[in-house]
Amino acid sequence: MIAATARGVLVMETIGFATESVTGIYSRGARGYYIENGEIAYPIDEFTIAGNFLTMLAGIDAVAGDLVFDQSIVSPTFRVAEMTIG
């Protein structure tokens, strides 16, 4: 999935909660890596991802087969075509 991403952000950890459950609008701090030309270029820290849950789910364009049930909340790796990153 990384190799197929020309430019993007690989989110490894989210921080905090700023979610409006009625509207689906959210904003969370994050840590991860910048992807450039299909490769991890460098780590990035203290950025924000924001948007709407329904829009984010509709924008999923790839899902990996790496789901592992080792925590109370689990998810496979997935890619969202467009998101707001600040």
Side-chain angles (χ1 to χ4, degrees):
M1 196 176 308
I2 292 171
T5 303
R7 186 176 68 130
V9 174
L10 175 60
V11 176
M12 299 301 293
E13 180 182 2
T14 57
I15 307 157
F17 266 89
T19 303
E20 173 54 56
S21 58
V22 174
T23 63
I25 295 172
Y26 66 91
S27 175
R28 298 192 69 176
R31 294 184 181 109
Y33 297 93
Y34 186 75
I35 299 170
E36 194 168 45
N37 301 319
E39 296 182 354
I40 293 176
Y42 51 84
I44 52 177
D45 195 16
E46 297 181 12
F47 61 94
T48 302
I49 57 174
N52 177 282
F53 282 122
L54 292 178
T55 304
M56 180 185 71
L57 292 174
I60 292 175
D61 65 353
V63 179
D66 61 353
L67 180 62
V68 176
F69 292 94
D70 63 350
Q71 297 180 19
S72 60
I73 299 174
V74 298
S75 171
T77 301
F78 61 92
R79 184 175 65 191
V80 179
E82 269 187 49
M83 288 188 73
T84 301
I85 305 288

